[in-house]
Amino acid sequence: MIIFYKNLAIRSIVIMETICYDYRNMAFRIGLQIEKSREHGRALLAGIADYALENPEWRFDLIDPEALVDRRTIAQYDGLIVRVMDDATAAVLAKSGKPVIDTYGRVDNSPFDTIRLDDEAIAEMAAACFADHSFVQCAFCGFAGPRFSSARGEAFVSAVRRSGHPCFAYYGEDATRLDDTFFRNERTDSIPDAHSLEKWIASLPKPIAVFCCNDIRAFQLIRVCEAAGVSVPSEVAVLGVDNDVLLGTFTRPPLSSIDTAPFSLGRKAGQMLAERMRGEKSAPRVVLHPPRRVVERASTEVYPFRTPWLSDAMVFITRNLSRGITAKDVFERLGYSHTAVNNAFRAELGTSVHQEILRRRLALACRLLKETDRSAAKIATDSGFLNPQYFSRAFSSAFGTTPDAWRRKFSRPAR
């Protein structure tokens, strides 16, 4: 048998003279049913494909959702990774006895191994984002029907109210209740409950921050606000989920969103399928996949302070952290005296301009340490610190440990 190993530019040939084996006989057929219409699905598929590099005997077929209810189709596969969105599909897959990994998680008591997004962690991340922007009035906007929408809404409302602030919620109209299969071919150009959504937005106190169950809902909310003459983000700040870059950058203003790390979700789904195909026996399990971070764009670039120009100062700081700006740059940008600006910062943020810049710079450094493999010296530069030595001293003073030790404790894969 001749086996070709390929690792970047390195190739080697191993010749096993005593065994003659047809490599094609080793192939396992894997069926994949994941939407390719959005970035989340494409990245998830890319993660599965990346994991499959470790299993070169796997052969993939992309399956249409309708084919999943055909027993003859399912019988062709040795394993499947799918998004189970209806009872008929679940029944056929369960009866087939094939190893199945569900990457959607429509129900809690599934007969399949399931890996789904951690809705509570997503909601907590959204609440923390709005708290960091000093919002005291928040709301959730979801769809009627899907489990993930209600789960994210309930967790978000709970998180905001635990902080002592009010939180409003809108879950759509029962008349526009959605089946989960809607999300196979989501449409941005149709808002069935537009009138009801507009009335809800009008009823909310302003300014307010609204967390939407996904990017589609956030896109719809921004469209409704535009039609109603409601300013985003100065009156309504909007945050979505999935970080669909095309959708997010086509909105006006561009949409902030939570990156759910679908690539690593796909890799984990592939690993789970491999375990089942090896014959591992256990009860069906549910794996919760955590989000990575908030990707902020213009739809949340606002801080609802009593002093209007203080919001401009915070946006300026956030946008320019990596450029090494100082308190002096903020004073010059605003055109106010050092005393006036620092007094406003202390009154509303409890800190000075210099301390707020340092706090945000350290937060950026923590994110880069956690999500990338850049050196501490490079991260110092990318976070706007004057030099690596100052970065190391400031980091150790704030966290009681060095950047490298912090990374070893908290880092996760970059993709």
Side-chain angles (χ1 to χ4, degrees), residues 375-381 384-396 403:
S375 68
K378 181 67 167 66
I379 286 174
T381 301
F385 286 92
L386 292 176
N387 55 62
Q389 294 75 25
Y390 175 48
F391 168 54
S392 183
R393 289 196 302 271
F395 195 96
S396 297

Side-chain angles (χ1 to χ4, degrees), residues 182-248:
F182 166 84
F183 298 101
R184 288 174 178 155
N185 295 288
E186 295 171 308
R187 293 183 57 184
T188 60
D189 58 348
S190 175
I191 312 175
D193 60 339
H195 180 66
S196 176
L197 189 54
E198 182 177 337
K199 287 177 62 178
W200 178 70
I201 287 293
S203 72
L204 295 175
K206 312 292 191 305
I208 195 166
V210 181
F211 170 49
C212 296
C213 65
N214 65 5
D215 285 348
I216 290 289
R217 199 47 157 166
F219 181 91
Q220 294 176 347
L221 181 65
I222 290 176
R223 292 288 298 273
V224 168
C225 285
E226 181 182 23
V230 175
S231 175
V232 176
S234 59
E235 292 182 275
V236 177
V238 181
L239 175 65
V241 180
D242 286 336
N243 192 35
D244 191 305
V245 176
L246 283 179
L247 190 62

Side-chain angles (χ1 to χ4, degrees), residues 281-353:
K281 303 294 184 181
S282 64
R285 58 178 173 150
V286 176
V287 174
L288 298 180
H289 181 71
R292 178 178 290 126
R293 65 184 177 99
V294 175
V295 179
E296 291 210 53
R297 302 185 180 93
S299 71
T300 54
E301 277 193 329
V302 66
Y303 296 78
F305 297 124
R306 294 186 300 274
T307 306
W309 49 260
L310 195 53
S311 178
D312 297 334
M314 293 300 295
V315 171
F316 175 75
I317 290 170
T318 302
R319 286 181 176 180
N320 293 281
L321 279 176
S322 62
R323 297 176 56 191
I325 60 168
T326 65
K328 181 181 177 182
D329 296 310
V330 177
F331 302 143
E332 291 177 353
R333 169 79 176 190
L334 295 173
Y336 295 110
S337 71
H338 299 195
T339 301
V341 176
N342 270 319
N343 285 346
F345 266 73
R346 288 194 176 93
E348 301 209 38
L349 289 168
T351 186
S352 68
V353 178

Side-chain angles (χ1 to χ4, degrees), residues 15 38-39 41 66 119 125-126 147 164 175-176 207 220 230 252 264 311 346 352 370:
I15 303 178
R38 290 188 52 216
E39 191 161 330
E66 296 77 11
D119 298 309
M125 185 173 285
R147 184 209 59 80
T176 59
Q220 294 176 347
V230 175
R252 287 296 177 268
S264 57
S311 178
R346 288 194 176 93
S352 68
K370 185 182 292 186

Side-chain angles (χ1 to χ4, degrees), residues 9-85:
I10 301 173
R11 298 186 180 186
S12 63
I13 302 176
V14 178
I15 303 178
M16 307 283 293
E17 295 180 347
T18 58
I19 301 177
C20 182
Y21 194 90
D22 185 350
Y23 181 82
R24 289 171 298 178
N25 289 339
M26 296 174 60
F28 292 102
R29 291 190 68 184
I30 310 299
L32 303 176
Q33 191 285 299
I34 295 164
E35 310 87 69
K36 305 181 294 296
S37 58
R38 290 188 52 216
E39 191 161 330
H40 177 88
R42 293 191 295 272
L44 198 158
L45 286 168
I48 296 170
D50 186 75
Y51 178 80
L53 294 175
E54 302 168 19
N55 297 270
E57 69 275 17
W58 286 13
R59 298 292 181 268
F60 293 109
D61 288 335
L62 293 175
I63 311 172
D64 291 330
E66 296 77 11
L68 287 178
V69 295
D70 184 340
R71 293 181 177 84
R72 291 170 299 180
T73 298
I74 301 305
Q76 303 174 52
Y77 296 104
D78 299 289
L80 300 102
I81 302 177
V82 301
R83 281 163 63 84
V84 181
M85 291 182 164

